[in-house]
Amino acid sequence: MAKIEKLALAASPTDKAQATAKKLSQAHDFVSMAEADAVVVLGGDGFMLQTLHQMIEDEHILPAFGMNRGTVGFLMNKVEASRLPILDRVNRARSFEVSPLMMTAETQSGEIVSTCAINEVSLLRETRQTAKLEIKVGAKVRIPELMCDGVLVATPAGSTAYNFSANGPILPLGCGLLALTPISAFRPRRWRGAILPDHLPIEIRSLDADKRPVSAVADQREIRDIAKIRVEVAHERDLTLMFDRGHSLDERIVGEQFAI
C-alpha cells in the first residue's frame, strides 16, 4: 500500500469516542473523507460496520484503522497500544482485505432488495412457526427442506460473531471460504452446516412462506416476508482494515478458537 499522507476521522457520538476524537484532533490535522487516503474510526464494532457500509454506499472506499471506544472491539485496535503519532501508527499498520457479501432478496410481494453485508447474512423465522427452507449452492439443491429457526452465511471477518454463537466454524482471513450455518436445525437434525468456497453463489428459498414467514438480515438491515435470497461475494467492493502489528485480525481469529 502507498504511503498514507492524509487522514479523515470518524467518531461515534459516545462520550468516550468524542473525548478521544478531541485528543487526536489536537495533535493531528484531519481532512474530509473526500480528501483522505485513509480513515481513523473511533467506536465499537457496530460503528466500524456503519462506517464501512457508508463508504460502500457512497462508492468512496478508504482503508480503515479502528480504535476501540466501544465494547468488544474485534475489528478495532487498542487505543493505548502505541505512543506513535496517529499518522505514523497508521502507516506502520498491517492491511487486510475483507470481501463483503451481496444479498439480493425477493419478498413475497415481488419487491427486489439488494444490500451488502460485511459480517453475515441471516434468514430468520418471524413467528413461532419453524422456518422451512430450501438450500441451493452453485447449481445444485443441497438441502430440499431444512426445518430450523434460521440459517446464516458468514464471511471470515464475521465468522467470530453471530456465526460462532450459532456453533459455526471460525474462518481465517484470506481463506476464500464462507460458513453456511444453521440456527437450531430440527430437520435434518444432524446437519451442522457447511464450509463453502466463496465463488459459489448460495440461494435460500422460503417454503410455505405464507404460513412460515422469514426475514433476511444483512448485518444491521432487515427485510421482512422473504420469498428467496441469493448471496454471493462482492469482490468489487473489497474493503481494507488496518491493524497494529502484533494485534492483527488473523491473530484474533486464531485466538478466539482457544478462548475459554
Side-chain angles (χ1 to χ4, degrees):
M1 182 183 292
K3 184 177 180 181
I4 292 168
E5 297 181 353
K6 297 180 180 180
L7 293 175
L9 182 64
S12 78
T14 65
D15 290 344
K16 190 160 58 171
Q18 289 298 313
T20 302
K22 182 178 180 180
K23 183 177 180 181
L24 288 176
S25 297
Q26 290 171 347
H28 184 85
D29 292 327
F30 291 96
V31 300
S32 68
M33 295 281 280
E35 301 173 276
D37 303 314
V39 57
V40 176
V41 182
L42 304 178
D45 289 339
F47 186 71
M48 172 61 87
L49 290 175
Q50 178 182 325
T51 303
L52 295 174
H53 276 286
Q54 188 62 56
M55 288 194 292
I56 291 173
E57 186 176 322
D58 294 342
E59 297 183 349
H60 183 64
I61 297 174
L62 299 173
F65 182 89
M67 298 176 73
N68 188 21
R69 297 285 77 188
T71 306
V72 178
F74 187 80
L75 299 175
M76 318 299 278
N77 296 280
K78 294 180 180 179
V79 172
E80 307 83 1
S82 173
R83 294 179 178 272
L84 289 172
I86 187 61
L87 184 60
D88 292 342
R89 186 174 174 183
V90 170
N91 273 300
R92 292 186 60 175
R94 294 180 64 195
S95 298
F96 291 85
E97 296 299 316
V98 175
S99 298
L101 302 172
M102 173 58 72
M103 178 189 75
T104 302
E106 181 179 340
T107 68
Q108 294 181 51
S109 64
E111 182 185 5
I112 304 297
V113 180
S114 295
T115 189
C116 283
I118 297 161
N119 274 357
E120 76 276 318
V121 168
S122 52
L123 208 61
L124 306 166
R125 64 185 176 100
E126 292 181 5
T127 68
R128 60 183 179 83
Q129 293 280 359
T130 301
K132 277 189 179 182
L133 307 173
E134 177 192 82
I135 308 292
K136 183 178 180 181
V137 179
K140 185 174 181 179
V141 173
R142 299 290 176 173
I143 302 182
E145 184 179 279
L146 171 65
M147 295 187 67
C148 57
D149 282 352
V151 67
L152 63 85
V153 182
T155 67
S159 65
T160 58
Y162 189 8
N163 171 71
F164 190 43
S165 297
N167 296 316
I170 292 180
L171 303 176
L173 285 182
C175 64
L177 300 171
L178 299 174
L180 178 63
T181 302
I183 302 167
S184 302
F186 176 70
R187 190 169 62 224
R189 192 181 296 275
R190 295 184 182 276
W191 188 62
R192 294 292 180 264
I195 298 174
L196 304 172
D198 69 3
H199 66 271
L200 292 177
I202 299 166
E203 296 185 20
I204 306 172
R205 187 164 64 94
S206 177
L207 306 175
D208 197 10
D210 289 337
K211 181 180 178 182
R212 304 170 184 271
V214 296
S215 62
V217 182
D219 284 348
Q220 297 156 339
R221 183 178 181 187
E222 180 183 22
I223 301 100
R224 296 182 69 82
D225 300 330
I226 293 295
K228 62 182 178 180
I229 65 170
R230 179 183 174 92
V231 180
E232 48 198 331
V233 173
H235 284 297
E236 70 279 6
R237 293 176 170 85
D238 279 357
L239 303 160
T240 301
L241 296 181
M242 307 178 75
F243 294 91
D244 291 317
R245 295 180 183 274
H247 297 277
S248 58
L249 187 55
D250 55 351
E251 168 57 30
R252 294 183 189 193
I253 287 174
V254 172
E256 282 291 319
Q257 298 174 82
F258 296 92
I260 298 175

